[in-house]
Amino acid sequence: MKQRDVTVREVAAATGVSIATVSRVLNGRGNVAAPTRERVERALQALGGTAPRPRAAQRPLTGPVLLRCPYLLTDYFGIIVSAMAESLDRHERPVLLDAGEAAQQHSVVDRLAHRSGIAGALLVLPPEPAAELAALRRSRFPFVIVDPREPAPRDIPAVSAAHAAGARALTAHLTALGHRRIGVVAGPDEWLASDARLAGHTAALADAGVLPDPGLVRHVEPTVAWGRRAAGELLDRPGPPTAIIGFNDKAAVGALQAAAARGLRVPSDLSIAGFDDIDLSRATSPTLTTVRQPLAELGRMAVSLLVRVLDRHALEALHVELATELVVRDSTARVRS
């Protein structure tokens, strides 16, 4: 029987597999389950055809993926990085891990374009300036940013949570409880997430007819110790807040400690809320009202975007925001009259 070229559409119709999946099999790409690959190959043989010879330019970039997260892999970054590593494993992509606070002392971004053997990179909250990231993009090196510190150039794929929407929902929850003097222990003022969350907070205040008070905002590192110090400053000022929002759950725990040190009961004397919904938020007494970020999904979505870039698929949505969710627990209550 004379063999002929079989179209992708014919194989897809014979197998019930999507055209995109058939294309990946015929072009020798690795991110296809073994049973699916076998089904496509059997259908190709039954149709008496040969697969079109893939052009070199269509082959995926091979080699390991650099996963750079220059922070301690605790319950926040650890969740993101673990999800990335698991997702890359499913795509049969090896991982090179560059993590830990010591990694902040050296920049790899300016050297990535010249490092051989690395297919692409996933950069979590990269401390490198936007100009370096833009230069890397111009070199055509494939990478995706997770939760950028600075506004990412429009042509760089980036994934983040809906920070502004989450903060707006949290502040709206507090204003609905009658709070008008709401302190904010914000993150570093050079972080994009800090700006977005403050914007959401200010929008919710405006919805309630409240003018923002810059004196109720402190920009600090998002740790328990800094949260305790900043919340203490807010509570010791004339006309202290009736509620405090932490940039993350750790800062909110610091606020709980500051309140306890001053003999304040939460939530009857003071409402406190956090952001992220890490395990710590459910281990406090009272448990923390917070905003849930889809941390694992941030990692999985970043891998999905990178794999598509490595497979040379066009990306239409370069900046992806994942929805957040308000989680109301025991640390917030109606303001005392």
Side-chain angles (χ1 to χ4, degrees), residues 108-134:
V108 301
V109 168
D110 57 350
R111 303 191 301 272
L112 272 178
H114 309 291
R115 288 185 62 175
S116 61
I118 295 180
L122 296 162
L123 308 177
V124 182
L125 196 64
E128 291 80 9
E132 285 190 26
L133 299 173

Side-chain angles (χ1 to χ4, degrees), residues 32-123:
V32 179
T36 302
R37 183 181 300 279
E38 292 172 3
R39 191 192 325 168
V40 170
E41 290 171 348
R42 286 198 302 269
L44 182 65
Q45 184 176 10
L47 290 169
T50 58
R53 185 183 301 276
R55 294 175 294 174
Q58 290 180 326
R59 289 175 182 160
L61 296 174
T62 58
V65 169
L66 176 69
L67 203 172
R68 175 166 165 80
C69 182
Y71 309 94
L72 291 177
L73 299 185
T74 55
D75 43 8
Y76 178 87
F77 292 111
I79 293 172
I80 297 174
V81 169
S82 295
M84 285 178 167
E86 291 170 358
S87 187
L88 285 168
D89 181 65
R90 292 190 185 97
H91 287 284
E92 299 180 356
R93 293 277 181 179
V95 176
L96 288 178
L97 181 61
D98 181 29
E101 290 183 335
Q104 295 183 24
Q105 306 307 314
H106 64 273
S107 174
V108 301
V109 168
D110 57 350
R111 303 191 301 272
L112 272 178
H114 309 291
R115 288 185 62 175
S116 61
I118 295 180
L122 296 162
L123 308 177

Side-chain angles (χ1 to χ4, degrees), residues 16 18 32 41 54 67 87 93 107 130 151 169 176 192 204-205 225 240 260-261 269 287 294 318 325-326 334 336:
S18 71
V32 179
E41 290 171 348
L67 203 172
S87 187
R93 293 277 181 179
S107 174
L192 183 62
L205 291 179
D269 297 325
T287 55
L318 289 177
E325 179 186 357
L326 174 66
R334 183 162 294 279
R336 294 179 65 178

